[in-house]
Amino acid sequence: MDIEKLKKQFVQLYQQEPLVVKSPGRVNIIGEHTDYNNGFVLPAAIDKAAYLAIALRDDDEIHLSALDLNEHFKIHIKDLKPIGDISWPNFILGVVAQFIKKGITLKGFNAALLSDVPIGAGLSSSAAIECATVFALNELLQTNLDRMTMVHMAQKAEHEYAGVMCGIMDQFASMMGKKDHVIKLDCMTMEYEYKPFKLNGLKILLLNTNVKHSLASSEYNTRRLECMKAVEWVKESNPSVKSLRDATIEMLKHNVLNKDALVYRRAEFVVEEINRLQQASINLEMGDINAIGAKMYTTHDGLSQKYEVSCKELDFLVNETRKNDAVIGSRMMGGGFGGCTINLVKEEEIEELIKIIKPRYEETMSLPLSFYVVTITNGTEIIE
Ligand code: GLA
């Protein structure tokens, strides 16, 4: 990323020297749709990030620019509300709203954004912007918020200004990432552990379907409701169960299957996925990356057949890798209905793999295939 260019453009636009904050996108090795069910996730921050240049103003106006989109937006703090026609300002304004809710007196500011986290690719481009914003404002306003508080504020911004009732994973991973480590996060207690991610000759390869089906956010919210429904039914005979984290397959069979087979399938996937992550975390400690890879395929099958958040493009890419020895594990990643697959691939065979998959995908789907080899980085930080 060209930070000098970002600073130069900021100075040209606003005649001020900015603070520059970087916040990364994320991958998730295993543990999908488990965060809002109080389960575990295993994400990591990656070397694709949002960069926010920012400086306070003397008045109460917020002036925003997205440099790569060449879009500009301004609003007075007293008129703050989610806006309808373009999405990116909402990720920043949603964070501003959280400061106000905390009773913190805000000043106006100028901000310019540059990001190389591809939009709609399931790599949390919005969480990266939210985390960069909360971190930058905390610094400028000297509010001394701790990282975990900022993670929650960034998540609330997504709920209230982007309308997606996301779990905590994306904002957590962006803010808390650690170079070469995945983070095992318990979304019930918010306890977490950094685990070295030793790839031993493998690389993380993301294959971008370049589709984002319009279903993504509405179906996401529907899945949340389906999981809540299952918990409600399980509670009828197991009052101590508070979330799918506390549920077992037996409980689901007993209390959910007879009421609604679809809700059962959703809940069954979540309970299995929470267990799978626990096993994967043991595999990780033993350095058994092949076992993790095999679990990634099982996760994909569950997401596709039971949770039904995949799509034909994602299924195609995962299926292509099943017959290829270069790939240890592959699955759709993130909320679903498009975006990327995450693949663990033998480094020296990546080029060959792309040569095979890219033309086949493009011909079958009539869509371009993009790909990124990513490394694991630190979370949100001030860079200048
Ligand atoms: C999106 C959400 C996350 C998480 C994933 C699915 O990325 O923002 O909170 O629920 O989907 O695992």
Side-chain angles (χ1 to χ4, degrees), residues 312-373:
K312 65 177 190 311
E313 295 86 354
L314 289 165
D315 288 345
F316 179 90
L317 288 177
V318 172
N319 286 339
E320 282 293 299
T321 69
R322 290 188 208 259
K323 3 172 181 157
N324 196 313
D325 287 347
V327 184
I328 305 299
S330 175
R331 66 177 192 81
M332 60 148 281
M333 189 177 68
F337 302 101
C340 286
T341 62
I342 176 171
N343 305 271
L344 300 181
V345 186
K346 291 179 189 154
E347 185 172 4
E348 67 280 7
E349 293 183 46
I350 291 183
E351 216 173 293
E352 191 56 36
L353 178 75
I354 300 290
K355 254 197 225 156
I356 300 169
I357 287 195
K358 191 170 157 67
R360 282 182 53 81
Y361 178 81
E362 295 184 342
E363 196 188 315
T364 318
M365 298 297 160
S366 302
L367 282 165
L369 179 78
S370 339
F371 58 92
Y372 328 103
V373 177

Side-chain angles (χ1 to χ4, degrees), residues 26 28 31-36 124 166-170 220 334-335:
R26 62 105 189 86
N28 184 27
E32 217 65 92
H33 289 275
T34 46
D35 58 355
Y36 55 85
S124 303
C166 65
I168 199 73
M169 171 170 73
D170 303 348
Y220 185 90

Side-chain angles (χ1 to χ4, degrees), residues 249-262:
I249 299 289
E250 273 57 51
M251 290 177 190
L252 298 178
K253 281 196 175 136
H254 195 247
N255 291 83
V256 181
L257 188 54
N258 51 349
K259 293 200 175 68
D260 189 325
L262 181 115

Side-chain angles (χ1 to χ4, degrees), residues 93-382:
L93 302 179
V95 168
V96 172
Q98 304 313 312
F99 278 89
I100 295 174
K101 277 193 170 171
K102 284 200 174 297
I104 294 166
T105 314
L106 262 176
K107 288 202 182 81
F109 61 88
N110 297 318
L113 178 69
L114 260 186
S115 176
D116 59 10
V117 188
I119 295 171
L123 305 181
S124 303
S125 56
S126 59
I129 300 172
E130 289 149 3
C131 289
T133 307
V134 69
F135 205 82
L137 286 176
N138 179 52
E139 177 70 21
L140 290 179
L141 301 168
Q142 301 193 328
T143 33
N144 285 323
L145 301 169
D146 58 55
R147 281 187 185 247
M148 209 54 114
T149 303
M150 290 192 271
V151 167
H152 283 112
M153 289 167 76
Q155 180 199 24
K156 277 268 154 15
E158 182 84 24
H159 288 183
E160 293 169 12
Y161 274 64
V164 180
M165 295 307 292
C166 65
I168 199 73
M169 171 170 73
D170 303 348
Q171 290 78 10
F172 178 87
S174 184
M175 181 72 71
M176 309 296 283
K178 180 170 170 181
K179 191 175 176 353
D180 298 331
H181 289 69
V182 292
I183 323 171
K184 183 183 177 196
L185 170 67
D186 180 337
C187 301
M188 181 159 75
T189 61
M190 292 304 285
E191 279 166 13
Y192 58 94
E193 237 181 293
Y194 290 107
K195 291 179 176 282
F197 197 55
K198 296 202 191 81
L199 279 157
N200 301 337
L202 301 174
K203 287 273 177 194
I204 302 173
L205 169 70
L206 306 176
L207 296 175
N208 189 351
T209 58
N210 283 304
V211 284
K212 183 176 198 267
H213 293 291
S214 53
L215 289 173
S217 44
S218 63
E219 284 295 311
Y220 185 90
N221 292 344
T222 306
R223 292 299 174 282
R224 263 193 103 124
L225 294 174
E226 288 162 347
C227 292
M228 280 163 68
K229 192 85 221 156
V231 172
E232 204 180 289
W233 286 334
V234 168
K235 263 188 181 162
E236 287 171 5
S237 21
N238 307 276
S240 63
V241 169
K242 295 205 166 44
S243 64
L244 287 180
R245 164 72 171 275
D246 310 321
T248 62
I249 299 289
E250 273 57 51
M251 290 177 190
L252 298 178
K253 281 196 175 136
H254 195 247
N255 291 83
V256 181
L257 188 54
N258 51 349
K259 293 200 175 68
D260 189 325
L262 181 115
V263 173
Y264 173 82
R265 276 208 309 281
R266 306 290 194 246
E268 183 189 44
F269 165 75
V270 172
V271 171
E272 285 171 353
E273 181 74 352
I274 293 173
N275 293 336
R276 191 154 37 238
L277 191 142
Q278 293 288 43
Q279 295 302 317
S281 138
I282 298 171
N283 298 150
L284 193 59
E285 264 150 40
M286 313 284 282
D288 190 351
I289 198 91
N290 289 315
I292 295 179
K295 288 190 174 63
M296 288 168 70
Y297 282 109
T298 319
T299 290
H300 182 80
D301 294 339
L303 287 165
S304 179
Q305 290 149 26
K306 296 183 180 172
Y307 217 63
E308 293 180 284
V309 290
S310 187
C311 57
K312 65 177 190 311
E313 295 86 354
L314 289 165
D315 288 345
F316 179 90
L317 288 177
V318 172
N319 286 339
E320 282 293 299
T321 69
R322 290 188 208 259
K323 3 172 181 157
N324 196 313
D325 287 347
V327 184
I328 305 299
S330 175
R331 66 177 192 81
M332 60 148 281
M333 189 177 68
F337 302 101
C340 286
T341 62
I342 176 171
N343 305 271
L344 300 181
V345 186
K346 291 179 189 154
E347 185 172 4
E348 67 280 7
E349 293 183 46
I350 291 183
E351 216 173 293
E352 191 56 36
L353 178 75
I354 300 290
K355 254 197 225 156
I356 300 169
I357 287 195
K358 191 170 157 67
R360 282 182 53 81
Y361 178 81
E362 295 184 342
E363 196 188 315
T364 318
M365 298 297 160
S366 302
L367 282 165
L369 179 78
S370 339
F371 58 92
Y372 328 103
V373 177
V374 295
T375 57
I376 297 181
T377 65
N378 287 332
T380 316
E381 61 192 354
I382 292 174

